[in-house]
Amino acid sequence: MNEDNSKLLIYQALPRLYGNVSGKNLPGGSIEENGCGKMSHFTCERLDDLRELGFTHVWYTGILEHATTTSYPGIMHDHPDVVKGRAGSPYAIKDYYDVDPDLADDPEERREEFRQLVERTHASGLGVIIDFVPNHLARQYQSDCSPQLEEDFGERDNRDMRFRRDNNFYYLTDQMLVIGSDYGPEPSAYSEYPARATGNDVFHAHPSRDDWYDTVKLNYGVDPDTGVGHFDEPVPDTWDKMYHILYHWAMQGVDGFRCDMAEMVPVPFWHWVIRRLHPDFPQLLFIGEIYQPWRYREYLDAGLDYLYDKVGLYDTLIGVLRGERAASDITTVWQSQEGLSGRMLHFMENHDEQRLASDFIVGTGAKGIPAVAVSALIDGGPMMIYFGQMLGEHGMDEEGFSGRNGRTTIYDYWSMESMRALHQPALRTEEQRELRERYRRLLELVRYPVFDHGLFFDLMYAVGDRLDPGRQYAFLRYRPGKLALVVANFADHTADLALPLPRHAFDTLHCQEGRSCRMLDFQSGDEEVVTLESDRPYTIRVRPHDYGVLLFTPPESLLPRVR
């Protein structure tokens, strides 16, 4: 199969949990009690395996030093009242220039160990993505690794002003931060005066437990009372600080950034910083976490390469899996994103969302396969898989701060059952082995050229009476010489379908009709020589909670290998 395409396949992993196979899971336990994964657990062998599966990048989530209750020589722990869990949130950054010491075998060598991780990743042919968290930082932020001439955040702020263009923070003047009674049985001992606005735009001094109370909102020159931005040159001080942070990590070999809550940072900043970085790092990737579809184009125009496809494809597919939406609703997603094909990052799991195999979605990884297939095959945009997903991680542990919510904790020290099975294959169940093989085959199919930048044609309007539009979805992908018919079956029963290719599809895709082709059923391995004709039905059997693909290629071409 031709692997020389440009479709990004991203493997997201939280190093704190990835390599921890201790199995000592005390809810709310310390690092000594529960253990912790290390950067060294991403061995050459593991990284080579990811590359062989077809991944192009690894997103190492939680690399930067962040708020925590754990102490190290030279690194004081944070006040527990402004730390979520024992390990702390990877998004409450305590030093933008430093590496989380939890992740190092020798904490004093943590930056060198990260350099080695980057080197191993690149040697395996993979790119490195880390988080860039521009909107907020930890309450007790203090950098001891920033360049000598770089002033710390807030160092020159006028704390008597609620808003000042070159302040790094917003100050709630004459108010003391109050950590509410829902944080614990006793009033908080943490003191902050004057209080600073909380990361999720809480501009009062009483953030709740559901707020991002462990973080402080950064000021990019936007007046919070009027919404007016003050961006004239010289740019606001926060902009300049963030440029230097990005430049630093790009110099360390980082290939891209997943930009946390990019939509909470003004668009002009993105345009300015990306344009400034690109002459030195032209291939640097920026993936924006955006949840406002009406703003997609302005962030892409500002220079972000890809955006989260959460409120579009992800939410729709979750609704279909749960039986709350019709499969035909997928049609509305691509219609609403016209002109954005290939610019949206597709995923079915990440650190913010509930696991497919959790009790909150479908209860088993196998039932999530048709949604993953649609997500992977519908266009040439990047696709992301979350660690544990390919082994059906349930996410139903009660880890501590995170609780039993169907998500994998980002706040606690923990050992995941799926990661123990990953690192110790003898522990894998038959169900896990079968699920991983299904993912392997899907990732192999994704690398087939038609799924890179091939054109897309929705079949639902033309074949809606030939299938169940509530539980089945069908579409075509095409590039010259190669055509694929894809069917996702979300139903509990096998679908035996005879689907025609409408004449309009041939016209739209500029696909030649009447030529002889080899037709391969990717799942069964059956193949035959057929003639491409409009309105002729082509038969395909799709198992329950699965997907089917018919691949049409010239008679002399090599078809994808089937295992």
Side-chain angles (χ1 to χ4, degrees):
M1 183 179 294
N2 181 11
E3 299 178 15
D4 184 21
N5 62 34
S6 57
K7 186 178 177 74
L8 272 62
L9 290 175
I10 300 170
Y11 184 80
Q12 182 194 0
L14 190 69
R16 183 198 299 155
L17 303 184
Y18 177 85
N20 186 7
V21 297
S22 69
K24 300 175 182 178
N25 287 337
L26 177 67
S30 68
I31 191 171
E32 292 81 11
E33 291 167 324
N34 286 352
C36 183
K38 307 296 180 181
M39 291 180 283
S40 60
H41 291 135
F42 291 89
T43 63
C44 293
E45 179 184 13
R46 290 291 170 208
L47 293 167
D48 287 346
D49 181 60
L50 290 175
R51 181 57 184 162
E52 187 171 333
L53 283 168
F55 289 101
T56 61
H57 294 73
V58 181
W59 166 15
Y60 294 107
T61 304
I63 287 292
L64 302 188
E65 183 185 334
H66 54 77
T68 180
T69 63
T70 304
S71 294
Y72 290 92
I75 302 178
M76 283 296 295
H77 67 270
D78 297 77
H79 195 289
D81 288 342
V82 287
V83 179
K84 290 187 174 181
R86 296 293 293 274
S89 169
Y91 297 96
I93 304 300
K94 190 162 69 173
D95 189 342
Y96 279 111
Y97 288 96
D98 207 350
V99 173
D100 179 9
D102 281 349
L103 307 181
D105 294 309
D106 180 352
E108 293 187 1
E109 296 295 324
R110 57 193 180 276
R111 290 183 293 280
E112 171 60 20
E113 291 189 28
F114 176 71
R115 187 195 67 77
Q116 293 172 4
L117 174 64
V118 172
E119 190 175 85
R120 287 196 305 277
T121 307
H122 287 165
S124 295
L126 297 162
V128 172
I129 295 173
I130 66 170
D131 291 287
F132 173 50
V133 187
N135 176 67
H136 51 269
L137 44 66
R139 289 275 174 197
Q140 296 183 293
Y141 183 94
Q142 184 176 10
S143 176
D144 55 13
C145 291
S146 62
Q148 187 175 2
L149 299 178
E150 184 73 17
E151 295 175 347
D152 227 342
F153 285 90
E155 191 172 318
R156 294 203 174 192
D157 280 7
N158 182 335
R159 301 187 180 191
D160 294 325
M161 299 182 67
R162 174 178 168 89
F163 168 72
R164 174 174 166 266
R165 195 194 85 130
D166 288 308
N167 275 0
N168 297 133
F169 305 124
Y170 296 102
Y171 293 92
L172 310 176
T173 55
D174 299 323
Q175 297 183 61
M176 176 76 75
L177 183 73
V178 176
I179 304 296
S181 60
D182 55 351
Y183 291 70
E186 301 295 332
S188 171
Y190 173 75
S191 177
E192 182 176 302
Y193 181 86
R196 292 168 293 174
T198 296
N200 60 321
D201 290 352
V202 175
F203 283 85
H204 59 73
H206 299 75
S208 75
R209 192 178 190 276
D210 294 330
D211 290 315
W212 305 346
Y213 64 85
D214 54 337
T215 69
V216 181
K217 173 78 173 179
L218 282 165
N219 168 22
Y220 281 78
V222 177
D223 187 324
D225 297 317
T226 66
V228 175
H230 301 269
F231 307 143
D232 293 339
E233 296 281 354
V235 296
D237 184 71
T238 301
W239 291 31
D240 197 56
K241 282 182 166 59
M242 288 301 178
Y243 162 75
H244 288 292
I245 289 164
L246 288 166
Y247 191 95
H248 168 81
W249 290 107
M251 286 293 292
Q252 307 308 306
V254 168
D255 302 290
F257 298 93
R258 177 267 187 186
C259 303
D260 184 70
M261 295 309 297
E263 68 183 11
M264 297 183 77
V265 173
V267 171
F269 164 75
W270 294 112
H271 184 269
W272 175 83
V273 77
I274 294 172
R275 183 177 57 182
R276 192 175 179 191
L277 286 163
H278 267 171
D280 293 320
F281 309 101
Q283 303 304 315
L284 201 59
L285 284 174
F286 290 89
I287 301 171
E289 183 183 17
I290 309 284
Y291 298 121
Q292 303 175 73
W294 59 93
R295 304 190 68 191
Y296 285 169
R297 285 177 173 80
E298 61 176 315
Y299 279 93
L300 290 172
D301 290 344
L304 292 169
D305 296 286
Y306 304 104
L307 306 179
Y308 262 39
D309 196 2
K310 197 275 183 188
V311 298
L313 191 60
Y314 171 85
D315 282 350
T316 300
L317 288 171
I318 289 295
V320 177
L321 287 174
R322 287 172 167 166
E324 300 165 354
R325 301 186 66 169
S328 57
D329 286 351
I330 300 168
T331 297
T332 64
V333 175
W334 67 262
Q335 289 176 333
S336 67
Q337 295 178 357
E338 186 176 358
L340 302 180
S341 178
R343 304 293 300 276
M344 306 302 294
L345 171 67
H346 304 313
F347 56 84
M348 290 310 302
E349 290 189 4
N350 66 34
H351 66 280
D352 285 320
E353 308 302 340
Q354 292 167 321
R355 293 284 190 169
L356 292 175
S358 75
D359 295 350
F360 298 92
I361 308 295
V362 288
T364 172
K367 286 189 176 181
I369 286 292
V372 178
V374 171
S375 184
L377 303 175
I378 196 167
D379 64 29
M383 167 70 178
M384 186 169 73
I385 300 288
Y386 195 35
F387 77 133
Q389 179 177 341
M390 293 188 291
L391 290 171
E393 172 63 38
H394 291 91
M396 294 302 295
D397 299 333
E398 192 163 358
E399 307 99 335
F401 185 89
S402 182
R404 195 169 182 268
N405 59 7
R407 297 176 176 86
T408 292
T409 181
I410 63 170
Y411 309 112
D412 305 287
Y413 298 110
W414 202 252
S415 174
M416 296 162 56
E417 185 274 335
S418 62
M419 289 299 97
R420 296 195 294 276
L422 175 68
H423 294 288
Q424 303 169 73
L427 299 179
R428 296 179 194 174
T429 65
E430 184 62 28
E431 180 183 2
Q432 287 175 323
R433 286 193 290 271
E434 290 178 358
L435 182 62
R436 192 170 193 274
E437 173 61 13
R438 294 177 72 182
Y439 270 97
R440 186 197 65 76
R441 282 182 50 75
L442 176 58
L443 292 173
E444 180 181 45
L445 181 64
V446 167
R447 306 201 299 272
Y448 188 58
V450 74
F451 297 114
D452 178 7
H453 291 300
L455 298 174
F456 168 85
F457 188 91
D458 192 305
L459 284 174
M460 296 304 286
Y461 87 96
V463 301
D465 59 341
R466 304 288 188 103
L467 47 67
D468 177 2
R471 304 306 295 158
Q472 281 126 29
Y473 181 70
F475 60 93
L476 299 174
R477 296 296 307 281
Y478 173 78
R479 64 187 301 172
K482 297 176 177 64
L483 176 70
L485 187 159
V486 182
V487 180
N489 182 19
F490 297 88
D492 295 325
H493 56 81
T494 296
D496 286 303
L497 305 172
L499 302 180
L501 304 182
R503 182 176 297 278
H504 182 51
F506 285 90
D507 296 337
T508 301
L509 301 175
H510 304 291
C511 178
Q512 182 181 354
E513 190 176 356
R515 58 191 174 91
S516 180
C517 289
R518 297 175 68 183
M519 182 180 75
L520 169 72
D521 186 317
F522 181 76
Q523 296 287 31
S524 71
D526 295 337
E527 63 176 276
E528 61 179 299
V529 176
V530 299
T531 301
L532 271 183
E533 297 177 316
S534 61
D535 300 322
R536 169 186 170 174
Y538 296 89
T539 60
I540 183 170
R541 166 169 284 197
V542 190
R543 295 177 301 178
H545 308 291
D546 206 352
Y547 68 97
V549 179
L550 295 180
L551 294 168
F552 300 86
T553 62
E556 68 281 2
S557 68
L558 292 176
L559 294 172
R561 59 188 181 274
V562 178
R563 299 175 181 173

